[in-house]
Amino acid sequence: MATADDVRRLALSLPGAMEKLAWGMPTFRLESGGKIFASLDDDDRAMGVKCPKEDREELIASEPEKFFMRAGHDDNYAWLRVRLAAVEDDEELYAILLDSWRQAAPRKLLDAHPDLARPGAP
């Protein structure tokens, strides 16, 4: 089971990541451009991550105990929620955060970290 502290530790381990409070919640964003790639919900039991709209329904259907959308909030955005209690371990949490980071990172940052820029990177 993942915790808010695990999210913070792993999110901030990604290149160019910083934490900033927004809407009363911790967000993890890129220093260059400020794009958010993850946020903790106000109860620290779930996090939001970037996810292409076309992929959300499949993820939710395959693992509804893990993935969900906050109705009225995530509908119009490429965003998905993850229940931290359903995340198996640091490896899975890191993979989810890394995927979201890749979607937010500018080309220059991805080019500077080719080991992280490609899918399947450790």
Side-chain angles (χ1 to χ4, degrees):
M1 176 176 122
T3 67
D5 288 338
D6 296 328
V7 171
R8 182 170 282 108
R9 175 175 48 83
L10 293 173
L12 294 174
S13 76
L14 293 166
M18 62 177 273
E19 182 174 346
K20 182 177 180 181
L21 198 63
W23 311 287
M25 296 177 289
T27 63
F28 302 93
R29 55 184 71 212
L30 299 171
E31 292 172 352
S32 59
K35 284 190 177 179
I36 298 172
F37 68 90
S39 67
L40 284 168
D41 284 4
D42 56 4
D43 63 3
D44 285 349
R45 293 173 36 184
M47 71 174 177
V49 291
K50 294 186 74 59
C51 180
K53 286 183 182 180
E54 60 273 9
D55 295 344
R56 295 185 304 188
E57 286 187 33
E58 183 178 337
L59 284 167
I60 292 168
S62 68
E63 295 185 82
E65 71 288 347
K66 186 177 298 176
F67 300 110
F68 69 103
M69 287 185 357
R70 203 164 73 191
H73 187 271
D74 299 329
D75 304 335
N76 297 316
Y77 301 98
W79 207 248
L80 182 71
R81 305 289 163 163
V82 182
R83 289 179 184 90
L84 296 180
V87 176
E88 293 178 26
D89 54 25
D90 273 5
E91 186 176 328
E92 181 182 27
L93 180 60
Y94 182 76
I96 292 168
L97 288 165
L98 179 59
D99 185 60
S100 187
W101 177 87
R102 285 183 186 126
Q103 292 175 63
R107 174 61 41 204
K108 187 176 181 178
L109 185 57
L110 293 171
D111 288 347
H113 300 279
D115 55 321
L116 298 179
R118 63 178 168 69

